[in-house]
Amino acid sequence: MSNRGTVVAFFSHSGENYKVGTIETGNGRIIASMISRMLGVPEYEICTEKGYPDDYEECSRIAKEERESNARPSLRFPLPDITDINSMILVYPNWWGDLPMAVYTMLDSIDTNGLKIYPVCTHEDNGLAMTDRMLMLAYPDASVMKGLAIRGTAVQERSDEVEESIRKYLEKVGFSLHS
Ligand SMILES: Cc1cc2nc3c(=O)[nH]c(=O)nc-3n(C[C@H](O)[C@H](O)[C@H](O)COP(=O)(O)O)c2cc1C
């Protein structure tokens, strides 16, 4: 399979992070750039206009409120151009067992019909949880493919292992690796 028509879209939060202390580069951002380099495809960052506080408790509170109200926070960057895109590797953290609401804002705003979505979820215990099913339910016209769960602490502490597991995953789901 050629990687043409593939984009890596990611949401990632830096600052104080669960179990890993304060980090300058979020786990998902690190993973997204690994994937983008391995496949030679572009990245798109999903980022809200307002952003989220660095403080973990405060960020958690806002994330919970947004989830409970099924919010669609507005995005800082223009939407990704998906004219020639058929596959999206979607990197996001598990936030309260769900995707950050900003990811829904992005997906609600593009044409997901026929889009293959590969969920790559960073977490600290709960893996993908039900996030792949939530994507299937929310975007029935897309094809949600087999996903990958990666522990955030592993990204910070054992990046070689993480890189290897991403490599294996990408090959398994049929991408061709560049580097
Ligand atoms: C608001 C918030 C909620 C979270 N909820 C969960 C959770 O329910 N289950 C879990 O395993 N990890 C949870 N985490 C941990 C993150 O998923 C984990 O630290 C992830 O690697 C963060 O990725 P990032 O650095 O790219 O944002 C949560 C973190 C935050 C900030």
Side-chain angles (χ1 to χ4, degrees):
M1 176 167 111
S2 150
N3 301 328
R4 256 212 336 242
T6 302
V7 67
V8 184
F10 74 96
F11 177 101
S12 183
H13 177 250
S14 56
E16 189 187 354
N17 210 324
Y18 190 67
K19 280 199 184 164
V20 293
T22 297
I23 53 174
E24 267 179 37
T25 310
N27 301 317
R29 183 185 291 276
I30 294 172
I31 288 170
S33 50
M34 280 180 190
I35 297 174
S36 155
R37 179 170 41 77
M38 286 178 198
L39 300 185
V41 301
E43 288 175 51
Y44 167 78
E45 181 176 5
I46 305 162
C47 182
T48 63
E49 234 162 39
K50 282 191 184 161
Y52 294 89
D54 277 358
D55 179 78
Y56 177 74
E57 295 299 326
E58 194 50 15
C59 174
S60 291
R61 189 186 57 73
I62 294 171
K64 197 172 196 178
E65 269 173 22
E66 286 185 348
R67 182 172 186 239
E68 281 167 1
S69 62
N70 200 21
R72 293 292 183 269
S74 39
L75 301 180
R76 181 174 302 173
F77 304 128
L79 293 168
D81 178 8
I82 59 147
T83 323
D84 297 317
I85 295 295
N86 50 47
S87 299
M88 177 179 282
I89 301 175
L90 187 62
V91 183
Y92 54 89
N94 177 329
W95 270 14
W96 297 112
D98 202 337
L99 302 105
M101 291 297 119
V103 180
Y104 292 106
T105 309
M106 189 274 291
L107 291 171
D108 283 0
S109 316
I110 62 171
D111 180 8
T112 53
N113 189 15
L115 184 68
K116 286 184 188 165
I117 300 175
Y118 296 83
V120 175
C121 176
T122 62
H123 68 100
E124 214 37 75
D125 262 335
N126 304 126
L128 286 151
M130 301 282 277
T131 56
D132 48 355
R133 299 215 189 125
M134 287 164 174
L135 285 167
M136 283 175 205
L137 283 176
Y139 308 101
D141 57 353
S143 300
V144 179
M145 313 302 280
K146 183 180 164 48
L148 176 69
I150 300 175
R151 206 172 275 273
T153 37
V155 178
Q156 297 295 325
E157 293 160 10
R158 300 186 300 281
S159 71
D160 287 356
E161 271 174 41
V162 166
E163 187 147 355
E164 195 45 36
S165 66
I166 292 173
R167 205 173 274 285
K168 282 192 181 139
Y169 166 73
L170 292 173
E171 279 176 338
K172 197 168 175 184
V173 294
F175 289 101
S176 40
L177 300 192
H178 282 208
S179 64

